Amino acid sequence: MAAIMLLTLPGTPFIYQGEELGLVDAEIPPERVVDPGLRDGCRAPIPWDGSLLHGWNADPWLPFAPEAATRNVHAQRSDAGSILHFYRRLLALRASTPALHAGIGPGQFRLLHNPVPDDDGGLLAWSRTDGIDTVFTCVNPSDRPYPSGPLAGATILVSTDSSLDGSVVGGELPARAAFVARRGGTM
């Protein structure tokens, strides 16, 4: 959900190394600390494969992140449902969608649903347009569906739930899902 937000909100997105593999910070024993600011956990080397050294020729400067044996480039490259492929699809969508390049001038960004303190789910939805193409983003981390409102009829392009890709938003926004959609007639 965070990746969909990052790559569809206005501004320049930054993806930190390993984020596209779903890596979490490595645990760094005191004798291997390099950074006096203690930020080494997020600077762990990328695991390229599932071997003992994960594709490196020698033991790298820092330990690997947990789950490096399964959350590595080689394993995720061959799994079409992996987070690596999800990032690739999302990045390709951003690169090919002019509305996601537009700034935040008048009418280019519109908040459709903003979480409020009394809202237990925190649904967040917005649209972006370049004046020709309009895309919608929906992030629903809650357990319950929400009325689809202005997103009804839009076709889901990329979703955290790949079974939703290509489907049309009906009367409700799905629970525990985030997606980017486009209504027919744009672009």
Side-chain angles (χ1 to χ4, degrees):
M1 290 184 186
I4 284 183
M5 289 179 63
L6 174 72
L7 293 168
T8 63
L9 281 168
T12 304
F14 291 90
I15 298 173
Y16 207 80
Q17 71 174 28
E19 184 178 327
E20 75 283 9
L21 298 174
L23 295 177
V24 297
D25 289 355
E27 294 185 26
I28 311 298
E31 66 276 5
R32 300 237 3 224
V33 168
V34 176
D35 180 18
L38 301 177
R39 296 171 294 225
D40 288 334
C42 64
R43 297 173 57 235
I46 294 289
W48 297 105
D49 61 33
S51 67
L52 184 62
L53 291 176
H54 303 293
W56 291 78
N57 292 331
D59 192 24
W61 64 102
L62 291 170
F64 291 99
E67 299 182 24
T70 55
R71 290 186 184 262
N72 61 67
V73 176
H74 180 75
Q76 291 197 28
R77 189 179 283 156
S78 60
D79 177 4
S82 72
I83 192 167
L84 176 62
H85 281 283
F86 173 72
Y87 265 86
R88 287 179 174 175
R89 289 190 350 263
L90 194 51
L91 287 164
L93 177 67
R94 180 180 172 87
S96 67
T97 306
L100 294 177
H101 305 167
I104 54 171
Q108 292 178 312
F109 177 85
R110 192 175 102 185
L111 196 58
L112 303 173
H113 192 283
N114 188 17
V116 292
D118 294 339
D119 184 2
D120 64 342
L123 174 73
L124 183 59
W126 60 88
S127 67
R128 291 192 61 193
T129 186
D130 65 349
I132 299 169
D133 184 29
T134 301
V135 294
F136 303 93
T137 300
C138 172
V139 179
N140 183 4
S142 78
D143 290 346
R144 65 182 177 94
Y146 279 83
S148 59
L151 279 78
T155 300
I156 296 175
L157 305 171
V158 176
S159 174
T160 54
D161 177 353
S162 62
S163 71
L164 297 174
D165 291 1
S167 66
V168 175
V169 177
E172 292 185 324
L173 300 172
R176 296 217 179 266
F179 62 81
V180 183
R182 176 182 287 127
R183 188 179 319 321
T186 63
M187 189 150 173

